[in-house]
Amino acid sequence: MSNLLNFKATNLRSALVLDYRLKQEGYDRGLGLKGMTQQVTFSPYVSPVLEYSSDINGGNPDKPLVLGSLTFYGDEEFFRKKGLLAGVAFGGTGRAIYGDGRYLDYNIGGSYTYSPEHDMSVMQGFANVCSKNDIGGNFYVDGCLSTNRLRRDLSAQTTSSATLSVAKLIAEGDRRVHQARFGIRRFFDDGYEQNQLTLQLDTLHNSNLFTSINVSLGDEVKNTLAMSHSFTASVGTYLMKKPFNASFSYVASDGGMLLGFQREETTTLFGLKYAIHPRFSLLVGYKYTSSNIDYFDESEAIVGIQFAPIQF
């Protein structure tokens, strides 16, 4: 097991880290070093939030809706508001170990942000729990439940999911370690439910480099715009001795109907995250949505500062 979790402990520090990680995953003996780990933990946290939003209130695009020969003009009161949001995020994370390589990870939290310019607030809450189970032969069976609620001035959305997945750890000597995962997810939105298949490959390279690739496929949902397929990829490394992450995602959705017209769209997102200081990271990115109905086309810059949580 230790050979699959790192590329051999070559000094005391790496041995201590590996011993701790093994014990955190339920392997009581770890590498045989002294020390125990708590079987049940929970760590509350709080952190400030500062970000730019192109849709603070959950409003409509500031342009007419054109469907064939019909043109609809919206009320300015319901147009999207843009600007800075500031507030606080809070919650807690924990783990309950119940066997060798078997444990529950759980976290719950939320955030409250406010726009002084528009006198509007955004509230979000989430919770998830995952059961991780080593079944031998470097195979793992995991089950996860999650829910998220976002409430803005003009809209509220709740999404939830239940996922069952099987993962396999594969080591290539001292060069890299892969985790291949196949999962089945039941996704719940306010207006529909959907079955999804997920394929994921995470790789830890022997050069301070981590890569992740994820592909998802969704069932067709009648008369509802829903994800048909998606692709995400990310790369994590160190830049000038500081953590750096680059990510890309592409989501294609179809099946929607609007006043008798079919609706299809794709969303592409690029993002960069760089820890410019141990206490905060800079987030920048760009998101573009292309729809067969021009009204839903949109592009936006993503800018924010992510603060390291203060744990208690």
Side-chain angles (χ1 to χ4, degrees), residues 6 28 35 41 74 76 88-89 96 99 111 115 117 135 144 170 204 209 212 228 269 308-309:
N6 81 350
D28 293 339
T41 62
E76 292 185 8
V88 61
S111 65
S115 168
E117 178 184 359
I135 61 173
C144 297
I170 307 168
L204 179 62
L209 180 68
S212 179
S228 62
L269 185 148

Side-chain angles (χ1 to χ4, degrees), residues 41-57:
T41 62
F42 184 76
S43 301
Y45 68 84
V46 63
S47 66
V49 176
L50 181 63
E51 62 185 9
Y52 173 84
S53 174
S54 63
D55 188 7
I56 293 174
N57 59 335

Side-chain angles (χ1 to χ4, degrees), residues 51-73:
E51 62 185 9
Y52 173 84
S53 174
S54 63
D55 188 7
I56 293 174
N57 59 335
N60 299 319
D62 183 4
K63 54 186 175 181
L65 169 62
V66 179
L67 296 172
S69 60
L70 302 176
T71 301
F72 301 88
Y73 296 91

Side-chain angles (χ1 to χ4, degrees), residues 288-305:
Y288 176 69
T289 298
S290 176
S291 175
N292 65 318
I293 300 176
D294 292 344
Y295 180 76
F296 297 104
D297 287 347
E298 62 177 309
S299 61
E300 63 176 297
I302 300 171
V303 181
I305 296 177

Side-chain angles (χ1 to χ4, degrees), residues 18 85 163 173 180 197 221 267-268:
L18 179 55
L85 287 168
T163 306
L197 297 180
V221 181
T267 298
T268 305

Side-chain angles (χ1 to χ4, degrees), residues 210-288:
F210 174 82
T211 58
S212 179
I213 297 173
N214 187 297
V215 177
S216 297
L217 303 173
D219 280 349
E220 180 180 357
V221 181
K222 188 176 180 180
N223 297 328
T224 301
L225 186 70
M227 184 273 293
S228 62
H229 59 276
S230 69
F231 171 84
T232 64
S234 65
V235 177
T237 186
Y238 285 87
L239 184 61
M240 293 185 289
K241 298 182 180 181
K242 296 178 180 179
F244 171 80
N245 180 271
S247 60
F248 166 82
S249 71
Y250 174 87
V251 180
S253 303
D254 58 22
M257 295 293 294
L258 181 62
L259 299 178
F261 289 83
Q262 290 188 344
R263 181 182 169 190
E264 300 175 355
E265 65 183 40
T266 61
T267 298
T268 305
L269 185 148
F270 301 90
L272 300 175
K273 177 181 176 181
Y274 184 54
I276 56 180
H277 186 274
R279 296 304 308 169
F280 57 87
S281 300
L282 176 65
L283 304 176
V284 295
Y286 180 76
K287 179 181 177 182
Y288 176 69

Side-chain angles (χ1 to χ4, degrees), residues 37-241:
T37 187
Q38 290 183 297
Q39 298 298 294
V40 179
T41 62
F42 184 76
S43 301
Y45 68 84
V46 63
S47 66
V49 176
L50 181 63
E51 62 185 9
Y52 173 84
S53 174
S54 63
D55 188 7
I56 293 174
N57 59 335
N60 299 319
D62 183 4
K63 54 186 175 181
L65 169 62
V66 179
L67 296 172
S69 60
L70 302 176
T71 301
F72 301 88
Y73 296 91
D75 189 330
E76 292 185 8
E77 183 180 351
F78 301 106
F79 286 166
R80 291 176 178 173
K81 307 295 185 182
K82 302 178 181 180
L84 287 175
L85 287 168
V88 61
F90 48 87
T93 63
R95 174 171 293 184
I97 301 170
Y98 55 87
D100 286 350
R102 300 183 178 186
Y103 55 91
L104 285 175
D105 275 344
Y106 39 84
N107 62 78
I108 186 171
S111 65
Y112 174 88
T113 53
Y114 178 74
S115 168
E117 178 184 359
H118 302 292
D119 189 25
M120 292 179 177
S121 60
V122 178
M123 292 179 286
Q124 185 172 16
F126 68 88
N128 61 67
V129 58
C130 285
S131 173
K132 310 283 188 174
N133 300 277
D134 181 354
I135 61 173
N138 298 321
F139 279 95
Y140 297 80
V141 174
D142 302 335
C144 297
L145 299 173
S146 68
T147 186
N148 183 85
R149 180 167 176 80
L150 176 63
R151 184 173 181 178
R152 296 181 285 194
D153 190 61
L154 297 176
S155 67
Q157 182 183 27
T158 300
T159 59
S160 303
S161 66
T163 306
L164 180 65
S165 63
V166 177
K168 168 71 172 177
L169 285 178
I170 307 168
E172 292 186 45
D174 292 344
R175 293 180 297 169
R176 58 182 64 90
V177 174
H178 306 282
Q179 179 178 259
R181 181 181 298 275
F182 170 78
I184 301 174
R185 177 186 298 129
R186 183 68 172 176
F187 179 79
F188 304 87
D189 203 332
D190 287 327
Y192 69 92
E193 300 179 9
Q194 184 187 43
N195 294 319
Q196 301 175 353
L197 297 180
T198 62
L199 299 170
Q200 184 171 341
L201 179 65
D202 297 332
T203 303
L204 179 62
H205 304 262
N206 193 15
S207 55
N208 289 325
L209 180 68
F210 174 82
T211 58
S212 179
I213 297 173
N214 187 297
V215 177
S216 297
L217 303 173
D219 280 349
E220 180 180 357
V221 181
K222 188 176 180 180
N223 297 328
T224 301
L225 186 70
M227 184 273 293
S228 62
H229 59 276
S230 69
F231 171 84
T232 64
S234 65
V235 177
T237 186
Y238 285 87
L239 184 61
M240 293 185 289
K241 298 182 180 181

